[in-house]
Amino acid sequence: MSGFKSLRPVDNFYQSSLFFPMPVVLVSTLTDDGTTTCGPYSLLAPFYVAGKEYYAFMLECRNSSNTAQNLIKHKKCVLNFMSDDRKTFKECVRLGWPGDTPAEKMKDFIFHFEDGERKAEDRNGIYPQVISEAVQAVECTWVDTLDGAENDKPLPEGADHYELEKYHDFNGITTPYGAHFVLRIDKILMKPKYHDAIVNGVTAKDFPPIPVDYGYRDSKNFWYHKHRRLLPELLPQRQTTVDSVRYAAKRLQTDVKFTDAALEKLVNVPRIFLPTVLKGCVKWADENGVKLIDVKEMEIINDKRSKEKGR
Ligand SMILES: Cc1cc2nc3c(=O)[nH]c(=O)nc-3n(C[C@H](O)[C@H](O)[C@H](O)COP(=O)(O)O)c2cc1C
């Protein structure tokens, strides 16, 4: 340990004991009168990324905040990723003043709102609006059924925290002052320039200028980093051999066979993923009455997989 000095983790360790890179989002939620209000948040991370019926973020909030209370009552929000210019960040910090009511915050709001895709699909529904100036926005719904949080109640008028017999582990009211929200992703909206880059291939100049909040703050300042040109780092190109792909294929419990030319198409797949990929091929073969997978079949399977990814 000679090269390091130890720091004691304390409350809000990500702000007080670390430099911790995080996004900055303005979270739009619905107030009781159906209008949209916004609060800035950084404690946001992808939570369910694959293998569930839905994708989700995790948002961590002071439970007395407008955002937390609105989520408990109205369930929906939009995560608006704003650009990194000073004026925008200044507005984010202004909206972060604890205790201001939505009306107090929103009267001087410098951005504009527009309806999102949820509203376009459900004209009679009430959804928080998207900030027009956002680079990208994610429309979400709180999954209140996880961790038994569906019965969590809003705070009584004037209370600044919860006093409960039991707090949830990861969703809803989790501590006297804290809340966690598993947010199902309903829609991802992106400005055309960035949308097209993701669809057609991203180069260094195609990344949006979004700020990085470095976690650490003091009593005077929030510190953040402006976007810089991104640097590409080549992924390792490691190939397995056809022999090892053939070995993995032989271990499958199936009468479906692969030609060597088909297996050749899988030499770039890291060994740890080979059984899953091969099982996917066998599943496709079973569904389509195929007993021998050759290059043509492999191309159909790959095509299907990329279409599914695209969707
Ligand atoms: C850049 C920035 C990031 C913030 N991140 C968080 C966060 O992740 N969680 C949190 O509880 N408060 C965070 N805050 C403080 C909240 O914004 C503050 O509690 C604010 O009052 C919330 O607004 P609301 O009541 O309208 O939801 C952040 C503030 C700023 C300026």
Side-chain angles (χ1 to χ4, degrees), residues 39-43 60-62 65-67 93 96-98 105 222:
Y41 288 86
S42 285
L43 291 172
E60 294 170 51
C61 272
R62 172 170 59 82
S65 65
N66 299 311
T67 301
V93 174
W97 186 255
K105 288 182 180 205
F222 263 98

Side-chain angles (χ1 to χ4, degrees), residues 238-241 244-245 248 267-276:
R238 267 204 245 163
Q239 287 199 340
T240 40
T241 60
S244 53
V245 184
V267 291
N268 286 325
V269 176
R271 197 172 299 196
I272 187 154
F273 299 137
L274 267 180
T276 307

Side-chain angles (χ1 to χ4, degrees), residues 187-227:
K187 303 282 176 193
I188 297 182
L189 311 178
M190 200 169 288
K191 286 285 160 62
K193 182 175 170 214
Y194 305 112
H195 169 278
D196 295 353
I198 285 193
V199 171
N200 301 325
V202 174
T203 62
K205 66 175 182 3
D206 296 320
F207 287 82
I210 45 183
V212 181
D213 170 353
Y214 263 69
Y216 177 79
R217 58 173 291 199
D218 47 46
S219 54
K220 196 160 165 237
N221 292 311
F222 263 98
W223 298 85
Y224 80 106
H225 213 304
K226 274 179 81 108
H227 172 76

Side-chain angles (χ1 to χ4, degrees), residues 5-20:
K5 286 173 96 172
S6 177
L7 262 180
R8 190 168 54 93
V10 294
D11 282 0
N12 292 316
F13 62 88
Y14 70 97
Q15 287 186 334
S16 40
S17 314
L18 272 177
F19 300 106
F20 188 68

Side-chain angles (χ1 to χ4, degrees), residues 14 20-27 39-47 56-61 67 71 77-81 136-138 140 179-185 213:
Y14 70 97
F20 188 68
M22 292 180 290
V24 177
V25 296
L26 282 181
V27 181
Y41 288 86
S42 285
L43 291 172
L44 177 78
F47 191 63
F57 277 106
M58 170 64 86
L59 173 69
E60 294 170 51
C61 272
T67 301
L71 274 170
C77 68
V78 184
L79 313 173
N80 300 278
F81 289 75
Q136 58 186 5
V138 189
C140 296
H180 286 67
F181 295 97
V182 178
L183 301 174
R184 185 188 72 213
I185 296 178
D213 170 353

Side-chain angles (χ1 to χ4, degrees), residues 192-311:
K193 182 175 170 214
Y194 305 112
H195 169 278
D196 295 353
I198 285 193
V199 171
N200 301 325
V202 174
T203 62
K205 66 175 182 3
D206 296 320
F207 287 82
I210 45 183
V212 181
D213 170 353
Y214 263 69
Y216 177 79
R217 58 173 291 199
D218 47 46
S219 54
K220 196 160 165 237
N221 292 311
F222 263 98
W223 298 85
Y224 80 106
H225 213 304
K226 274 179 81 108
H227 172 76
R228 291 214 184 129
R229 192 180 165 84
L230 275 94
L231 305 174
E233 179 61 44
L234 272 181
L235 288 167
Q237 300 290 323
R238 267 204 245 163
Q239 287 199 340
T240 40
T241 60
V242 180
D243 279 349
S244 53
V245 184
R246 195 184 303 116
Y247 178 76
K250 284 214 173 110
R251 291 169 60 110
L252 298 173
Q253 305 286 323
T254 174
D255 54 354
V256 173
K257 300 263 177 308
F258 293 82
T259 65
D260 272 5
L263 295 176
E264 182 94 45
K265 296 245 163 228
L266 299 179
V267 291
N268 286 325
V269 176
R271 197 172 299 196
I272 187 154
F273 299 137
L274 267 180
T276 307
V277 171
L278 287 164
K279 276 183 205 155
C281 298
V282 169
K283 183 163 176 277
W284 175 88
D286 288 342
E287 285 165 6
N288 290 279
V290 170
K291 288 284 166 233
L292 181 69
I293 298 182
D294 199 356
V295 172
K296 179 166 68 79
E297 286 75 18
M298 215 49 149
E299 278 164 2
I300 299 173
I301 296 167
N302 281 339
D303 202 38
K304 182 170 165 270
R305 198 178 300 135
S306 24
K307 277 199 189 119
E308 279 167 4
K309 269 195 183 163
R311 262 209 304 278

